[in-house]
Amino acid sequence: MSEAAMPLWEVFIRARNGLSHKHAGSIHATDAEMALHAARDVYTRRGEGQSIWVVRSSDIVASDPVDKDMMFEPTASKIYRHPTFYEIPDDVGNM
Amino acid sequence: MYSQGLIGADGKTHEDAAFLAAFQARIDAEQKIEPNDPMPEGYRKTLVRQISQHAHSEIIGMQPEGNWISRAPTLRRKAALLAKVQDEGGHGLYLYSAAETLGVSREEMTEQLLSGAAKYSSIFNYPALTWADIGAIGWLVDGAAIMNQIVLCRCSYGPYARAMIRICKEESFHQRQGYEIMIALCNGSEEQKELAQDALNRFWWPSLMMFGPPEGESVHSNQSMIWKIKRFSNDDLRDKFINASVPQAEKLGLTIPDPDLKWNEAKQGYDHGEIDWDEFWRVVKGDGICNRERLKNRRRVDRDGAWVREAAMAHAQKRAARTASARIAAE
């Protein structure tokens, strides 16, 4: 195709106040305004959203799945970060 | 129907045994595969092929029904049909974006569709001749699509599975609006009921073909099952569809156009007559009633819209340049 590629945007939607924005998918648009319009048409045809964020896919910095172990494995051995690590007598009640 | 996307798929892959075993272990443990995860090249290629063909099917699928928007019999029917066709466009876009996570660009996929290199579901090469066809398409074609798509919600590739969940939520209105049209026609005059029967006669067999050829001939089906891209055989899904549709036809007072269709007590399901696979292959290879027209329309629309895309790009560039120069002036 001779046409220039249209930038890709990631779409995040807040279903209702009190919830955080959640990734819904992506769309192509030339600028932010068009991205918002397209996101509204494509991802909120059934009242799925109260608020939309769009961000250029190229602006997202992501961790590499190859580094997964290095990044996240160390937390697995730190069981003392969880409440169940500590022994409290039953008769103390809920804590 | 989207197992049709697997026809001719190249599942060949060249990774070493340890890599493939580790990948298969993840699949067997029902872990979802996400975009940047290591994956066999054959897995990636098979998915690109199936998801993009699924997307093309949604986009081309707008044509047979779009044809009836301006001729819908009432405003209620028109609003529903318009919403349904808009949904199909939206479904195409969800799917294109799922395919793009595998490293194929929207432009490449569009080019493959327009050049005829990529296929789409055979069903959309049949014309919608009467208003009753809109009923039959919603009832049978969307019904068959739902059968396939529900199992695809559990596909091993995360973005595809997520797109399918969203699509399935939206599809059930499609089938219901179609069946409601059939009910109205079947409760109407003799002529209306005849229209409904005629639509069923024309759409029944092509709907059964949507599930793809029996497994023996569907070469790459087996590898797709092992990778959990696909979870049931074509014949199993087809049987499920027939078992669901026959009582629905009876409720309408219509006759399924298959003299060999009969209840099989032992398997608790229906046995059906011979499917004309020669017809199926003719349509897949480009010789269906509407293949040429569908692509011609798609190419025309793409051409006619090119100036809009170019203008939007130029506008965005101009605005960005203006903002940049204003910033320099202010500094």
Side-chain angles (χ1 to χ4, degrees), chain B residues 97-123:
Chain B
S97 85
E100 285 176 88
T101 63
L102 290 159
V104 59
S105 75
R106 178 75 60 89
E107 287 77 11
E108 277 171 75
M109 289 186 279
T110 305
E111 184 54 36
Q112 285 163 358
L113 173 64
L114 297 181
S115 72
K119 303 277 183 250
Y120 51 85
S121 179
S122 56
I123 191 74

Side-chain angles (χ1 to χ4, degrees), chain B residues 273-289:
Chain B
E274 197 69 33
I275 295 173
D276 184 355
W277 292 110
D278 289 341
E279 174 181 324
F280 171 77
W281 288 112
R282 268 200 309 279
V283 177
V284 167
K285 288 179 178 146
D287 259 336
I289 303 171

Side-chain angles (χ1 to χ4, degrees), chain B residues 163-190:
Chain B
M164 289 323 308
I165 290 168
R166 183 177 267 279
I167 288 174
C168 282
K169 273 192 203 155
E170 299 183 356
E171 286 275 357
S172 75
F173 121 65
H174 298 181
Q175 193 185 15
R176 290 170 65 103
Q177 72 88 35
Y179 194 71
E180 196 196 66
I181 290 172
M182 296 303 272
I183 293 174
L185 290 171
C186 291
N187 291 336
S189 65
E190 264 316 298

Side-chain angles (χ1 to χ4, degrees), chain A residues 8 24-28 42-43 45, chain B residues 1-3 35 44 46-62 86-106 109-110 119-121 124 145 148-150 152-153 155 157-168 170-171 174 229:
Chain A
L8 188 65
S26 55
I27 44 104
H28 286 268
V42 175
Y43 291 104
R45 289 193 305 283
Chain B
M1 94 209 255
Y2 304 106
S3 60
R44 196 187 70 82
T46 302
L47 277 168
V48 166
R49 187 184 180 95
Q50 179 171 348
I51 302 172
S52 63
Q53 293 200 15
H54 193 164
H56 298 328
S57 302
E58 301 281 358
I59 298 297
I60 296 289
M62 296 166 82
Q86 194 189 6
D87 271 356
E88 309 297 1
H91 295 173
L93 296 179
Y94 306 156
L95 289 161
Y96 280 129
S97 85
E100 285 176 88
T101 63
L102 290 159
V104 59
S105 75
R106 178 75 60 89
M109 289 186 279
T110 305
K119 303 277 183 250
Y120 51 85
S121 179
F124 301 117
N148 265 289
Q149 294 179 149
I150 289 201
L152 283 171
C153 293
C155 165
Y157 188 58
Y160 192 25
R162 291 193 286 275
M164 289 323 308
I165 290 168
R166 183 177 267 279
I167 288 174
C168 282
E170 299 183 356
E171 286 275 357
H174 298 181
I229 291 172

Side-chain angles (χ1 to χ4, degrees), chain A residues 1-10 13 22-34 38 40-46 48 56 62-66 68, chain B residues 26 31 36-38 83 86-91 93-94 97-98 100-101 106-107 110-111 114 162 166 169-171 173-174 302 306 309-310 312-313 315-317 319:
Chain A
M1 241 187 179
S2 54
E3 276 177 54
M6 202 176 275
L8 188 65
W9 301 70
E10 298 304 317
I13 292 174
K22 195 173 162 225
H23 187 242
S26 55
I27 44 104
H28 286 268
T30 54
D31 59 20
E33 194 186 345
M34 185 178 168
R40 175 225 176 238
D41 288 347
V42 175
Y43 291 104
T44 65
R45 289 193 305 283
R46 303 276 196 295
E48 293 93 333
R56 274 182 190 258
S63 65
D64 189 334
V66 173
K68 201 174 66 187
Chain B
R26 291 192 60 189
Q31 286 182 20
N36 295 319
D37 286 349
Q86 194 189 6
D87 271 356
E88 309 297 1
H91 295 173
L93 296 179
Y94 306 156
S97 85
E100 285 176 88
T101 63
R106 178 75 60 89
E107 287 77 11
T110 305
E111 184 54 36
L114 297 181
R162 291 193 286 275
R166 183 177 267 279
K169 273 192 203 155
E170 299 183 356
E171 286 275 357
F173 121 65
H174 298 181
D302 186 74
R309 296 191 294 275
E310 281 164 25
M313 288 288 262
H315 177 72
Q317 278 158 9
R319 288 272 294 266

Side-chain angles (χ1 to χ4, degrees), chain A:
Chain A
M1 241 187 179
S2 54
E3 276 177 54
M6 202 176 275
L8 188 65
W9 301 70
E10 298 304 317
V11 178
F12 299 83
I13 292 174
R14 185 205 293 284
R16 56 174 196 276
N17 283 5
L19 297 178
S20 52
H21 286 74
K22 195 173 162 225
H23 187 242
S26 55
I27 44 104
H28 286 268
T30 54
D31 59 20
E33 194 186 345
M34 185 178 168
L36 272 179
H37 279 293
R40 175 225 176 238
D41 288 347
V42 175
Y43 291 104
T44 65
R45 289 193 305 283
R46 303 276 196 295
E48 293 93 333
Q50 298 284 320
S51 160
I52 302 176
W53 287 351
V54 289
V55 58
R56 274 182 190 258
S57 308
S58 57
D59 287 342
I60 289 185
V61 181
S63 65
D64 189 334
V66 173
D67 298 335
K68 201 174 66 187
D69 290 347
M70 184 187 74
M71 301 265 284
F72 308 113
E73 183 56 31
T75 61
S77 58
K78 296 179 176 56
I79 50 172
Y80 45 84
R81 284 181 173 165
H82 298 279
T84 47
F85 179 76
Y86 302 93
E87 283 179 29
I88 305 288
D90 284 348
D91 53 11
V92 175
N94 267 340
M95 183 179 278

